C-alpha cells in the first residue's frame, strides 16, 4: 500500500478500497495528508465513513468548522462520531476543552 501511495497511484488504491480495508484506510489518510477535500467528500458521499472522518478533520484543521458541520449534516446526519469530531474541534477552538 505504501508503494502505491508513494507513487501516487490513488486510482489503484481506490479500486482496492471496496474490498481491502488497508487500502481504504491508506487512501483516506493520503487524501487527508494532501489536503484533497474534494476527493474525500466524493468518497464520503459514496458511503465511506472513514473518508467522512478525514474530511471533517481536514476542514476543521483549516478552520472551516461551518463547512465541516455542513458536511456532517449532509453526509452523515446520524453519525454520532462525526458530530463529536466537529464538537471537539469547536470546543478546542473556543478554548473550552
Amino acid at each position: 500500500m505504501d508503494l502505491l501511495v508513494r507513487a501516487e497511484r490513488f486510482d489503484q488504491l481506490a479500486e482496492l478500497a471496496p474490498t481491502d480495508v488497508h487500502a481504504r484506510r491508506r487512501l483516506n489518510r493520503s487524501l487527508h495528508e494532501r489536503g484533497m477535500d474534494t476527493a474525500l467528500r466524493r468518497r464520503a458521499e459514496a458511503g465511506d465513513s472513514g473518508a467522512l472522518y478525514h474530511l471533517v478533520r481536514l476542514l476543521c484543521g483549516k478552520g472551516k468548522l461551518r463547512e465541516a458541520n455542513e458536511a456532517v449534516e449532509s453526509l452523515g446526519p446520524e453519525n454520532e462520531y462525526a458530530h463529536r469530531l466537529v464538537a471537539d474541534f469547536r470546543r478546542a477552538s473556543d478554548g473550552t476543552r
Side-chain angles (χ1 to χ4, degrees):
M1 297 304 148
D2 286 337
L3 291 174
L4 290 173
V5 170
R6 282 187 232 149
E8 296 189 6
R9 305 293 299 261
F10 299 120
D11 289 340
Q12 285 182 306
L13 279 171
E15 287 176 21
L16 295 170
T19 58
D20 186 330
V21 67
H22 302 292
R24 184 170 48 254
R25 289 177 181 164
R26 194 62 177 102
L27 175 59
N28 290 337
R29 184 168 16 125
S30 296
L31 295 173
H32 179 183
E33 290 169 353
R34 286 167 176 74
M36 300 175 75
D37 54 354
T38 303
L40 284 168
R41 183 178 302 275
R42 270 190 254 119
R43 294 188 52 72
E45 288 170 348
D48 184 342
S49 59
L52 175 60
Y53 305 147
H54 278 283
L55 175 63
V56 168
R57 288 184 192 107
L58 178 62
L59 294 172
C60 288
K62 291 180 177 181
K64 298 180 178 182
L65 291 172
R66 176 182 285 148
E67 196 173 326
N69 191 57
E70 290 171 0
V72 172
E73 288 299 327
S74 66
L75 301 173
E78 296 180 15
N79 188 317
E80 292 179 27
Y81 183 70
H83 282 285
R84 194 170 337 126
L85 285 174
V86 174
D88 288 348
F89 271 100
R90 184 169 282 126
R91 275 194 301 275
S93 69
D94 292 342
T96 59
R97 193 165 230 209

